[in-house]
């Protein structure tokens, strides 16, 4: 999955798999998580500066797993 660096205090990069509707988030602390059944519009919103401030609860409402 191609990761895109973003401007954020908490996040380093985000990526999205259209076929699986999976959002991947890489945090600045090194953690990487996949969030499942995510609408593409949420991924688009995550590309904006400092997305975690306003979208963290929306993202965390999805099922997820830690990748590393």
């Amino acid at each position: 999955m191609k990761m895109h660096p973003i401007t954020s205090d908490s996040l380093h990069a985000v990526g999205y798999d259209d076929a699986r509707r999976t959002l991947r988030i890489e945090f600045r602390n090194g953690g990487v998580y996949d969030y499942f059944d995510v609408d593409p519009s949420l991924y688009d919103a995550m590309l904006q500066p400092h997305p975690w401030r306003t979208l963290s609860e929306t993202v965390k409402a999805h099922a997820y797993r830690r990748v590393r």
Side-chain angles (χ1 to χ4, degrees):
M1 178 181 313
K2 182 174 169 120
M3 299 296 287
H4 301 277
I6 59 170
T7 302
S8 173
D9 297 330
S10 303
L11 311 179
H12 177 68
V14 297
Y16 188 74
D17 181 329
D18 287 311
R20 293 181 18 207
R21 291 177 50 98
T22 300
L23 173 69
R24 179 167 287 174
I25 298 177
E26 181 179 348
F27 290 86
R28 294 214 172 267
N29 68 9
V32 178
Y33 291 82
D34 282 350
Y35 295 86
F36 305 107
D37 197 27
V38 173
D39 192 83
S41 64
L42 180 53
Y43 167 66
D44 291 339
M46 290 295 295
L47 295 173
Q48 301 304 311
H50 305 286
W52 203 241
R53 293 177 184 172
T54 56
L55 298 174
S56 63
E57 295 302 317
T58 303
V59 172
K60 290 191 277 186
H62 293 82
Y64 68 91
R65 74 174 169 93
R66 185 179 176 122
V67 175
R68 65 169 187 246

